[in-house]
Amino acid sequence: MAVTPLLNPDQRKAVESFCGPLLVVAGAGSGKTRVLTYRIAHLIETHGVEPDQILAVTFTNKAAGEMKERIGQLFSEGQAQAKFGKAFTALSSGEQHQIQAKVRQDLIQPLWVGTFHALCARILRFDIEKFDGPNGRKWQRNFNIFDESDVQELFKTIVIKEFNLDDKKYAPRSVRFMVSSAKNRGLDPQEYLQAEGNTPRSRVVTQVYERYQDHLARNNALDFDDLIWLPVQLFRQQPQVLNYWHQRFQHILVDEYQDTNRSQYELIRLLATNDKPRSQWDWSNRSIFVVGDADQAIYSFRQADFRILMDFQSDFGDGEKDQQTKTLVKLEENYRSSATILELANELIANNVERIDKVLRATRPAGTPVQLYEADDEVAEAEFIVSHLRQLEKQNRSWKDFAILYRVNAQSQPIEQALSRWGVPYTIVGGLRFYDRKEIKDVLCYLKVIHNPLDSISLKRALSVPKRGIGKTTIDKLEAAAATLESSLWELLSEEESIKNLAGRTSAPIIQFVRFIERLREQSSQTLASEILETVIKESGYVAMLQEEGTEESEDRLTNVLELRSVAQRFEEESEDGSLEAFLANVSLASDLDNLDDAAERVSLMTLHAAKGLEFPVVFLCGLEDGLFPHFRALQDGDSSAIEEERRLCYVGITRAKEYLQLSYARNRRLYGDRQPAIMSQFLKELSPEKLAGATPRRRPAATQTRTPSLPPAKRPAPVRPAPAQGRRQPSQSWAVGDRVTHDQFGTGQVTHVLGAEPKLFLAISFPGLGKKVIDPRLVTLRKLSN
DNA sequence: GACCCCTTCTTTTTT
DNA sequence: AGAAGGGGTC
């Protein structure tokens, strides 16, 4: 394989290292994906490692697919040379297909490449029945995976109905978050209680946690967190099970290691070491290879901890001095961005304290200056972005070269409007996922019930849509009866006699429903997912219901349901396993990003989190305003680690751009209902002004702007003098964002937000060194300084 | 049991 | 601004 010439010395070192632990600190755009794919190919080709002994963890399903694709290409090329002595492209299409099919079957398909969640789900399909959970909790191999709304619903039931807690004090959402955090840190309920300290509140959360796990087990369901944490518990409980997987996966690779949480780390640690003490480790024919960049750690809200990356060498190395260099490779050459863009990124991230020593060196020329634009409001910002983008497109660029990145999903709205007004094709990643749409969930829950009828949440949903005369009262009654009988809802529903007695007139539709599900269950093991789906769509009455409705909305829903059918068909064509189980797993673990089609001629819109790992020739990074980015939640408690994470997020955004980067912010933004003045992000102030071009701040014109949708936007709003300062003579002083003030106690600061209105007006003021404080201007003396 | 209207609440990032 | 939940009516 012609590997070597394409790699720089550090990349080659990473690719060719064979056994033992290795940490690859890979800066943005330093070619880590190439290193990962080449390494896997190299392990197989040069060291004769069997593909099914390799476990590679990626951050998204899409990344997994691409990695397999690229490895397949490498092998196809090699095979073409070996078999025909020609380049792959020089072969006839018959020969190409022959090679591809063989490569796929022998080398690619046996690889275990996927996200933590997908890989763990796969392991659990084999071994979950061997797990004896605490309190007798058991799961069966046909478990369902609860999505976020299923989980939320369950928490509401437990907190409000079962524990009768005050949902003001114990908001189901926040209890759910605490339980999730506990799992991500690898804490069971008792360990959680210990870690949190024995307070009334943590005792309650612990009890809810226990009850929640009972519910999951009774529904034969897992949540996202359990998908990873349950294998960890299983491995600890059953050493022979761990031993099997440990023997099986001789070479483990983990991408985006900086965004790993404790439970994921523990899983990797167990698989790599077989839970044996350091003295018994044997690296003679195995490796653990992780790639990451602490500067791009952006998932601490989901308990990811980049110290795990920083600790890698002491965790897995043997601690000897020369091991420190043997177990580390740094990739510090950036092949992606222009030198100008990279300089800006480096300057920004230098403001963070918690870092690994690393410099990113540019390999590309300076390129175009980075631009900064100040807009009047979010609509003007969107208009600017779109008109600018159209200009660039005319200069020999295609739509797919552009990405518009932002901090929160809600920011997409004005941009979408501007794009569609101008007829620019775009795709939006995130927001409402296809699989989260009501009609899709409605149909899918039939499949989930067929797969696992113990899943009462899906069962209840399927019972109620389409309407068949089974209402909330009936369901509540039957559920209560099932609870009393200590049986599942499904078991109760299946006994016709009991149903007739319990449900009276409503029993007929219930019995009919149960027979329908049972019929499909009998077929389910030998029938393709799409065929079961077809029957559900036709015979559940769902489509009929939508057709009868005849509204525009129901038309859309119908289209989506039919789209789901083609999703299922496509899934069967592309994957080895077209079973209902495989399809459901795929659907449950799909992220919106997985559908991003690189080939499509469209502008991409997404959050900065979703943009991780991607690159675009032209990037618009918008909404750079204090409170939005950095987000006010990170500003709130003067928590510097939260600000540093926001800064890393900004760094991720900047480093997505290859050639052209356009930053922007609005002086005024409507967000969450009302209009708020805004000031430029502190991150922009951390950059030297000479690095930012075109930053001429434009002031709001005195007259109301033309913003009629059908009109083209003002090409370049003429610079207008600042609006005259208002309210100088008002009895109470007027305040504006950006005002510099002195406070008797805190000194000089700058107003960042004006909250509320007189007489209940508060100011958020940022005092250098002291952080942000919310102040009531009537209670303290504030003096306004002239700007 | 189903539907409609009103109020209230909540506003980050996601596998 | 938008969703979701509650309460009232048919």
Side-chain angles (χ1 to χ4, degrees), chain A residues 677-740:
Chain A
I679 59 165
M680 88 165 33
S681 167
Q682 65 179 81
F683 297 152
L684 289 173
K685 294 179 184 153
E686 292 167 5
L687 304 170
S688 20
E690 66 271 15
K691 286 194 182 129
L692 298 172
T696 348
R698 293 175 220 298
R699 295 286 156 164
R700 167 175 287 276
T704 50
Q705 256 190 317
T706 46
R707 215 173 279 138
T708 326
S710 56
L711 284 180
K715 275 274 140 45
R716 270 179 187 278
V720 174
R721 290 186 54 75
Q726 296 161 0
R728 277 268 157 73
R729 289 164 292 124
Q730 277 174 8
S732 62
Q733 176 127 31
S734 85
W735 304 97
V737 167
D739 284 349
R740 299 187 59 76

Coordinates of all heavy atoms in Angstrom, one line a residue, chain A residues 677-740:
Chain A
P677 N -30.9 44.5 23.5 CA -29.6 45.1 23.0 C -28.5 44.2 23.3 O -28.5 43.4 24.2 CB -29.5 46.4 23.7 CG -30.4 46.4 24.8 CD -31.4 45.3 24.7
A678 N -27.5 44.2 22.4 CA -26.3 43.3 22.6 C -25.0 44.1 22.4 O -25.0 45.1 21.7 CB -26.5 42.1 21.7
I679 N -24.0 43.5 22.9 CA -22.7 44.1 22.6 C -21.8 43.0 22.1 O -22.1 41.8 22.3 CB -22.0 44.8 23.8 CG1 -21.8 43.8 24.9 CG2 -22.7 46.0 24.2 CD1 -20.8 44.2 26.0
M680 N -20.8 43.4 21.4 CA -19.9 42.4 20.8 C -19.3 41.4 21.8 O -19.0 41.8 22.9 CB -18.9 43.1 19.9 CG -17.6 43.4 20.6 SD -16.2 43.8 19.6 CE -16.7 44.6 18.2
S681 N -19.1 40.2 21.3 CA -18.6 39.2 22.2 C -17.2 39.5 22.7 O -16.4 40.1 22.1 CB -18.5 37.9 21.4 OG -17.8 36.9 22.0
Q682 N -17.0 39.1 24.0 CA -15.7 39.3 24.5 C -14.6 38.6 23.7 O -13.5 39.0 23.7 CB -15.7 38.9 26.0 CG -15.9 37.4 26.2 CD -15.8 37.0 27.7 OE1 -16.8 37.2 28.4 NE2 -14.7 36.5 28.1
F683 N -15.0 37.6 23.1 CA -14.0 36.8 22.3 C -13.4 37.7 21.1 O -12.3 37.6 20.8 CB -14.6 35.6 21.7 CG -15.0 34.6 22.7 CD1 -16.1 33.7 22.5 CD2 -14.4 34.5 24.0 CE1 -16.5 32.8 23.4 CE2 -14.8 33.6 24.9 CZ -15.9 32.7 24.7
L684 N -14.3 38.6 20.6 CA -13.8 39.4 19.5 C -12.8 40.4 20.1 O -11.9 40.8 19.4 CB -15.0 40.2 18.9 CG -15.9 39.3 18.0 CD1 -17.1 40.1 17.6 CD2 -15.2 38.8 16.8
K685 N -13.0 40.8 21.3 CA -12.1 41.8 21.9 C -10.7 41.1 22.2 O -9.8 41.8 22.4 CB -12.7 42.4 23.2 CG -13.9 43.2 22.8 CD -14.6 43.8 24.1 CE -15.8 44.5 23.7 NZ -16.8 44.5 24.7
E686 N -10.7 39.8 22.3 CA -9.5 39.2 22.5 C -8.6 39.0 21.3 O -7.5 38.6 21.3 CB -9.7 37.8 23.1 CG -10.4 37.8 24.5 CD -10.9 36.5 25.0 OE1 -10.8 35.5 24.3 OE2 -11.5 36.5 26.1
L687 N -9.2 39.4 20.2 CA -8.4 39.3 18.9 C -7.9 40.7 18.5 O -8.5 41.7 18.8 CB -9.4 38.8 17.8 CG -10.1 37.5 18.1 CD1 -11.2 37.2 17.1 CD2 -9.1 36.4 18.1
S688 N -6.7 40.7 18.0 CA -6.1 42.0 17.6 C -6.9 42.6 16.5 O -7.1 41.9 15.5 CB -4.6 42.0 17.3 OG -4.2 40.7 17.0
P689 N -7.3 43.9 16.6 CA -8.1 44.5 15.6 C -7.5 44.5 14.2 O -8.3 44.3 13.2 CB -8.2 46.0 16.1 CG -7.8 45.9 17.5 CD -6.9 44.8 17.7
E690 N -6.2 44.5 14.1 CA -5.6 44.6 12.8 C -5.8 43.3 12.0 O -5.6 43.2 10.8 CB -4.2 45.0 12.8 CG -3.2 44.0 13.5 CD -3.1 44.2 15.0 OE1 -4.0 45.0 15.5 OE2 -2.2 43.7 15.6
K691 N -6.2 42.2 12.8 CA -6.5 40.9 12.1 C -7.9 40.8 11.5 O -8.2 39.9 10.9 CB -6.2 39.8 13.1 CG -4.8 39.6 13.3 CD -4.5 38.2 14.0 CE -3.1 38.1 14.3 NZ -2.8 37.7 15.7
L692 N -8.7 41.8 11.9 CA -10.1 41.8 11.4 C -10.4 42.9 10.4 O -10.2 44.0 10.8 CB -11.0 41.9 12.6 CG -10.9 40.8 13.6 CD1 -11.8 41.1 14.9 CD2 -11.4 39.4 13.0
A693 N -10.8 42.5 9.2 CA -11.0 43.5 8.2 C -12.5 43.8 8.2 O -13.3 43.1 8.6 CB -10.6 43.0 6.9
G694 N -12.8 45.0 7.6 CA -14.2 45.3 7.3 C -15.1 45.5 8.5 O -16.3 45.3 8.4
A695 N -14.5 45.9 9.6 CA -15.2 45.9 10.8 C -15.9 47.2 11.1 O -16.4 47.5 12.1 CB -14.3 45.6 12.0
T696 N -16.0 48.1 10.1 CA -16.6 49.4 10.3 C -18.0 49.2 10.9 O -18.9 48.7 10.2 CB -16.8 50.1 8.9 OG1 -16.1 49.4 7.9 CG2 -16.4 51.5 9.1
P697 N -18.2 49.6 12.1 CA -19.5 49.4 12.7 C -20.5 50.3 12.1 O -20.2 51.5 11.9 CB -19.2 49.8 14.2 CG -17.8 49.8 14.4 CD -17.2 50.1 13.1
R698 N -21.6 49.8 11.7 CA -22.6 50.6 11.1 C -23.7 50.8 12.1 O -24.1 49.9 12.8 CB -23.2 49.9 9.9 CG -22.2 49.8 8.8 CD -22.8 48.9 7.7 NE -21.9 48.0 7.1 CZ -20.8 48.4 6.5 NH1 -20.5 49.7 6.4 NH2 -19.9 47.6 5.9
R699 N -24.1 52.1 12.2 CA -25.1 52.4 13.2 C -26.5 52.3 12.6 O -26.7 52.4 11.4 CB -24.9 53.9 13.6 CG -23.6 54.1 14.4 CD -23.7 53.5 15.7 NE -22.4 53.1 16.2 CZ -22.1 52.9 17.5 NH1 -23.1 52.9 18.4 NH2 -20.9 52.6 17.9
R700 N -27.4 52.1 13.4 CA -28.8 51.9 13.0 C -29.3 53.2 12.4 O -29.2 54.3 13.0 CB -29.6 51.6 14.2 CG -31.1 51.7 14.0 CD -31.9 51.3 15.3 NE -31.8 49.8 15.4 CZ -32.7 49.1 14.8 NH1 -33.6 49.5 14.0 NH2 -32.6 47.8 14.9
P701 N -29.8 53.2 11.2 CA -30.4 54.4 10.6 C -31.6 54.9 11.4 O -32.3 54.1 12.0 CB -30.9 53.9 9.2 CG -30.3 52.6 9.0 CD -30.0 52.0 10.3
A702 N -31.8 56.2 11.4 CA -32.8 56.7 12.2 C -34.2 56.2 11.7 O -35.1 55.9 12.5 CB -32.8 58.2 12.2
A703 N -34.4 56.2 10.4 CA -35.7 55.8 9.9 C -35.8 54.3 10.0 O -34.8 53.6 10.1 CB -35.8 56.2 8.4
T704 N -37.0 53.8 10.0 CA -37.2 52.3 10.1 C -36.7 51.7 8.8 O -36.9 52.3 7.7 CB -38.7 52.0 10.3 OG1 -39.4 52.7 9.3 CG2 -39.2 52.3 11.7
Q705 N -36.1 50.6 9.0 CA -35.5 50.0 7.8 C -36.5 49.3 7.0 O -37.5 48.7 7.5 CB -34.4 49.0 8.2 CG -33.0 49.6 8.0 CD -32.0 48.5 8.2 OE1 -32.1 47.7 9.1 NE2 -31.1 48.4 7.3
T706 N -36.3 49.2 5.7 CA -37.2 48.5 4.8 C -36.8 47.0 5.0 O -35.7 46.6 4.8 CB -37.0 48.8 3.3 OG1 -35.6 48.9 3.1 CG2 -37.6 50.1 3.0
R707 N -37.8 46.3 5.4 CA -37.5 44.9 5.7 C -38.6 44.0 5.1 O -38.9 42.9 5.6 CB -37.3 44.6 7.2 CG -36.3 43.5 7.4 CD -36.0 43.4 8.9 NE -35.2 44.5 9.4 CZ -35.4 45.1 10.6 NH1 -36.4 44.9 11.3 NH2 -34.5 46.0 10.9
T708 N -39.3 44.6 4.1 CA -40.3 43.8 3.5 C -39.8 42.6 2.8 O -38.8 42.7 2.0 CB -41.0 44.7 2.4 OG1 -41.0 46.1 2.9 CG2 -42.4 44.3 2.2
P709 N -40.3 41.5 3.1 CA -39.7 40.2 2.6 C -39.5 40.2 1.1 O -38.5 39.7 0.6 CB -40.7 39.2 3.0 CG -41.4 39.7 4.2 CD -41.4 41.2 4.0
S710 N -40.4 40.8 0.3 CA -40.3 40.6 -1.1 C -39.2 41.6 -1.7 O -38.8 41.4 -2.8 CB -41.6 40.9 -1.8 OG -42.1 42.2 -1.4
L711 N -38.8 42.6 -0.9 CA -37.8 43.5 -1.4 C -36.4 43.0 -1.3 O -36.2 42.3 -0.3 CB -38.0 44.8 -0.7 CG -39.1 45.7 -1.1 CD1 -39.1 47.0 -0.3 CD2 -39.1 46.1 -2.6
P712 N -35.6 43.2 -2.2 CA -34.2 42.9 -2.0 C -33.6 43.7 -0.8 O -34.1 44.8 -0.6 CB -33.5 43.2 -3.3 CG -34.5 43.9 -4.1 CD -35.8 43.9 -3.5
P713 N -32.7 43.1 -0.1 CA -32.2 43.9 1.1 C -31.3 45.0 0.6 O -30.8 45.0 -0.5 CB -31.4 42.8 1.8 CG -31.0 41.9 0.7 CD -32.1 41.9 -0.3
A714 N -31.2 46.0 1.4 CA -30.3 47.1 1.1 C -29.0 46.6 0.9 O -28.4 45.8 1.7 CB -30.3 48.1 2.2
K715 N -28.4 46.9 -0.2 CA -27.1 46.3 -0.6 C -26.0 46.6 0.5 O -25.4 45.7 1.0 CB -26.6 46.8 -2.0 CG -27.2 46.0 -3.1 CD -26.4 44.8 -3.4 CE -27.2 43.5 -3.7 NZ -28.3 43.6 -4.6
R716 N -25.8 47.9 0.7 CA -24.9 48.3 1.7 C -25.5 49.5 2.4 O -25.4 50.6 1.9 CB -23.5 48.6 1.1 CG -22.6 47.5 1.0 CD -21.3 47.9 0.4 NE -20.5 46.7 0.2 CZ -19.8 46.1 1.2 NH1 -19.8 46.6 2.4 NH2 -19.2 45.0 0.9
P717 N -26.1 49.2 3.6 CA -26.7 50.3 4.3 C -25.7 51.5 4.4 O -24.6 51.2 4.9 CB -27.1 49.8 5.6 CG -26.6 48.4 5.7 CD -26.1 48.0 4.3
A718 N -26.1 52.6 4.0 CA -25.2 53.8 4.1 C -24.8 54.0 5.5 O -25.7 54.0 6.4 CB -25.8 55.0 3.4
P719 N -23.6 54.3 5.8 CA -23.2 54.6 7.2 C -24.0 55.8 7.7 O -24.1 56.8 7.0 CB -21.7 55.0 7.1 CG -21.3 54.4 5.8 CD -22.4 54.4 4.9
V720 N -24.6 55.7 8.8 CA -25.4 56.8 9.3 C -24.9 57.2 10.7 O -24.3 56.4 11.4 CB -26.9 56.3 9.5 CG1 -27.7 57.3 10.1 CG2 -27.5 55.9 8.1
R721 N -25.0 58.4 10.9 CA -24.5 58.9 12.2 C -25.2 58.2 13.4 O -26.4 57.9 13.3 CB -24.7 60.4 12.3 CG -23.8 61.2 11.4 CD -23.9 62.7 11.6 NE -23.7 63.0 13.0 CZ -22.5 63.1 13.6 NH1 -21.4 62.8 12.9 NH2 -22.3 63.4 14.8
P722 N -24.5 58.1 14.4 CA -25.1 57.5 15.6 C -26.4 58.2 16.0 O -26.4 59.5 15.9 CB -24.1 57.6 16.7 CG -22.8 57.9 16.0 CD -23.1 58.4 14.7
A723 N -27.4 57.5 16.4 CA -28.6 58.1 16.8 C -28.3 59.0 18.0 O -27.4 58.7 18.8 CB -29.6 57.1 17.2
P724 N -28.9 60.2 18.1 CA -28.6 61.1 19.2 C -28.9 60.4 20.5 O -29.9 59.7 20.6 CB -29.5 62.3 19.0 CG -30.5 61.8 18.0 CD -29.9 60.7 17.2
A725 N -28.0 60.6 21.5 CA -28.2 60.0 22.8 C -29.6 60.4 23.3 O -30.0 61.6 23.2 CB -27.1 60.4 23.7
Q726 N -30.3 59.5 23.8 CA -31.7 59.8 24.3 C -31.7 59.9 25.8 O -30.9 59.4 26.5 CB -32.6 58.6 23.9 CG -32.7 58.5 22.4 CD -33.2 57.1 22.0 OE1 -33.5 56.3 22.8 NE2 -33.3 56.9 20.7
G727 N -32.8 60.6 26.2 CA -33.2 60.6 27.6 C -32.2 61.3 28.5 O -32.2 61.0 29.7
R728 N -31.4 62.2 28.0 CA -30.4 62.8 28.9 C -31.1 63.5 30.1 O -30.6 63.6 31.2 CB -29.7 63.9 28.1 CG -28.5 63.3 27.3 CD -27.2 63.4 28.2 NE -26.2 62.4 27.7 CZ -25.6 62.5 26.5 NH1 -25.8 63.6 25.8 NH2 -24.7 61.6 26.2
R729 N -32.3 64.0 29.8 CA -33.0 64.9 30.8 C -34.1 64.1 31.5 O -34.8 64.6 32.3 CB -33.6 66.1 30.1 CG -32.6 67.1 29.6 CD -33.2 68.1 28.7 NE -33.6 67.5 27.4 CZ -34.8 67.5 27.0 NH1 -35.7 68.1 27.6 NH2 -35.1 66.9 25.8
Q730 N -34.1 62.8 31.3 CA -35.1 62.0 32.0 C -34.8 62.0 33.5 O -33.6 62.1 33.9 CB -35.2 60.6 31.5 CG -36.0 60.5 30.3 CD -35.9 59.1 29.7 OE1 -35.4 58.2 30.3 NE2 -36.5 58.9 28.5
P731 N -35.9 62.0 34.3 CA -35.6 62.0 35.8 C -34.7 60.9 36.2 O -33.7 61.1 36.9 CB -37.0 61.9 36.4 CG -37.9 61.4 35.2 CD -37.3 61.9 34.0
S732 N -35.0 59.7 35.9 CA -34.1 58.6 36.2 C -33.1 58.4 35.0 O -33.5 58.5 33.9 CB -34.8 57.3 36.5 OG -35.5 56.9 35.4
Q733 N -31.9 58.2 35.3 CA -30.9 58.1 34.3 C -31.3 56.9 33.3 O -31.8 55.9 33.7 CB -29.6 57.7 35.0 CG -28.5 57.5 34.0 CD -27.3 58.4 34.3 OE1 -27.1 58.7 35.5 NE2 -26.6 58.8 33.3
S734 N -31.0 57.1 32.1 CA -31.2 56.0 31.1 C -29.9 55.3 30.9 O -28.8 55.9 30.9 CB -31.8 56.6 29.8 OG -30.7 57.0 29.0
W735 N -30.0 54.0 30.6 CA -28.9 53.2 30.5 C -28.9 52.5 29.2 O -30.0 52.1 28.7 CB -28.8 52.2 31.6 CG -28.8 52.8 33.0 CD1 -29.9 52.9 33.8 CD2 -27.7 53.3 33.7 NE1 -29.6 53.6 34.9 CE2 -28.2 53.8 34.9 CE3 -26.4 53.5 33.4 CZ2 -27.4 54.4 35.8 CZ3 -25.6 54.1 34.3 CH2 -26.1 54.5 35.5
A736 N -27.8 52.3 28.6 CA -27.7 51.6 27.4 C -26.6 50.6 27.4 O -25.6 50.8 28.1 CB -27.5 52.5 26.2
V737 N -26.7 49.5 26.7 CA -25.7 48.6 26.6 C -24.4 49.2 26.0 O -24.5 50.0 25.1 CB -26.1 47.4 25.7 CG1 -24.9 46.5 25.3 CG2 -27.2 46.6 26.4
G738 N -23.3 48.9 26.6 CA -22.1 49.5 26.2 C -21.6 50.7 27.0 O -20.5 51.1 26.9
D739 N -22.6 51.3 27.8 CA -22.2 52.4 28.7 C -21.1 51.9 29.7 O -21.1 50.8 30.2 CB -23.4 52.8 29.6 CG -24.4 53.6 28.8 OD1 -24.1 54.0 27.6 OD2 -25.5 53.8 29.3
R740 N -20.2 52.8 29.9 CA -19.1 52.6 30.9 C -19.5 53.3 32.1 O -20.0 54.4 32.1 CB -17.8 53.1 30.4 CG -17.3 52.4 29.1 CD -15.9 52.7 28.7 NE -15.0 52.4 29.8 CZ -14.6 51.1 30.0 NH1 -15.0 50.1 29.3 NH2 -13.7 50.8 30.9

